[in-house]
Amino acid sequence: MSGSGYYTRLVAVLFTAALLIGAILRPDAGRQAIERASLAAASAAASIEKTPAAERPCAIGEPAFAGPFAPIADVLSVSPLGGVTAPGEPLPAPYIRINMRAGETAFQRRTTTVLAPTRADITAIERHVDRDAEGRSYVHSWTVHFRSCDAVSFYYGRIDGISDDLLQKAGGLRAFTELGGPDHLAILTNIRVQTGDIIGEANGFDVALHNLGATPAQLEAPERYTANPFPRAAALGAAPDLIAAITPPIAKARCAIDSLPQDLRADWTALLGDSWGIRRARGEDACRTAVADAPGAARGVWFTDAAHNAAATKVSAVALSPDAVDPDRLIFALHGRLASLTPSLIAMPPMMDEEAADAAKDFLSFKKGGGRINTNFDDVRDGETYCYEGLRTNFVGPQINGVILVHRDTPEDGPALLKIEARGDAMRCIALDEPWAFTGNETVFYR
């Protein structure tokens, strides 16, 4: 329930009490007093209603949301869990994705309405266009940013279509500003929505919640998350306020499900699992594990450049982390950024080259081991080379015909670096000649 709702009710209660006292002391002044009090109460309530959400204090002890994100009957699962990403991408936990049930066929998702979960101000809207290798547009999506009170912001990402009414209130697409080019547009807005209002439609979308007053998550290089992720935007006319509105404070992310009302929370928590509802969460902490760097180790986020935060692009970073559902499984979230992980290493039939190429861009999972083989990312130390085997794409995808070598170093005069290489000349780490070494095809990541 919102803070403004609390104060509106408080105003009404105070004026009602004043009316009762007045009626007792001056019974003959009833009608005029009621009229004056009603006008004053309406004026006070209207003043509260017009107060920007960012200036309204959050209601103490009440959940941030008052309603669901979408009709729950259309929802198959809430994910991804375990697969970790990096700045500039939707994060899995505590960021979540709402996956819809099957549509007309088993491999299609049904489209449903995306709903405002509380009364809030839409502070910004983004439009994204993804293109294939030939430059053809194939996916249009929207991101809608909200502010419900002074300490809570949230956004919906990868919405397939936005409400025509919201787009019209924003001034139409022509009013949007380019951020790095015509495929990424955004606009600063001030549009009030109520609980249950239709934001758009989607066959799946992301939800990200931020507690602005919370202690930031542990990050070895926090400046990577606070730098301007859109360096070209200012040159293209984007105002600093717009850039700030669409740059979420990742280190203050929290589980959106935890902010649902009590009567909705259990039903949505039960949906935590993978994108097709096959793996269901087994631990109570599945939606609360934030991205975190382990200082001096390999766990956490690594960037593809040594100095700059490229969070506005999809070539910015990788992440290594335990699976939020099963901590005994570890995750390489490389997403196509490891050149040595070629489609030829994916255990799929030759006629499925396109599927193998897509699988090579997925995250990899494997069972945690000991010693220098399948080492917990928290235990990776400088100067040692580690080997990982028994890898597969995502949790249930095809196996990798090879192993991965990892080596961390922290130079005295530069950022920490992590070398990673996929090797197809061995299926088991013990089959590699000692000492384990890179072939020159490794990729270097930085902190």
Side-chain angles (χ1 to χ4, degrees), residues 156-312:
Y156 285 162
R158 292 192 286 175
I159 298 174
D160 298 325
I162 195 169
S163 159
D164 290 337
D165 180 56
L166 290 182
L167 186 58
Q168 183 178 1
K169 289 180 179 178
L173 205 54
R174 292 183 178 180
F176 281 56
T177 298
E178 290 188 11
L179 297 176
D183 287 347
H184 186 191
L185 308 177
I187 189 171
L188 202 62
T189 62
N190 183 21
I191 303 172
R192 178 66 51 84
V193 293
Q194 305 294 330
T195 304
D197 283 355
I198 294 176
I199 304 302
E201 60 180 21
N203 60 17
F205 61 99
D206 303 323
V207 182
L209 171 74
H210 309 97
N211 182 345
L212 306 181
T215 301
Q218 179 186 16
L219 300 170
E220 190 172 8
E223 68 279 0
R224 293 280 195 167
Y225 298 82
T226 57
N228 176 10
F230 308 107
R232 290 186 55 200
L236 293 170
D241 288 349
L242 173 58
I243 296 173
I246 62 176
T247 306
I250 296 174
K252 296 188 176 183
R254 294 296 183 268
C255 177
I257 291 180
D258 287 347
S259 291
L260 287 169
Q262 188 66 39
D263 59 338
L264 297 178
R265 196 177 308 161
D267 290 339
W268 283 85
T269 299
L271 295 174
L272 285 167
D274 68 5
S275 60
W276 286 104
I278 298 173
R279 296 177 75 241
R280 291 297 184 183
R282 292 181 293 178
E284 294 182 357
D285 195 42
C287 190
R288 300 175 183 84
T289 305
V291 122
D293 298 335
R299 177 176 175 172
V301 174
W302 292 86
F303 293 82
T304 55
D305 65 284
H308 303 97
N309 179 10

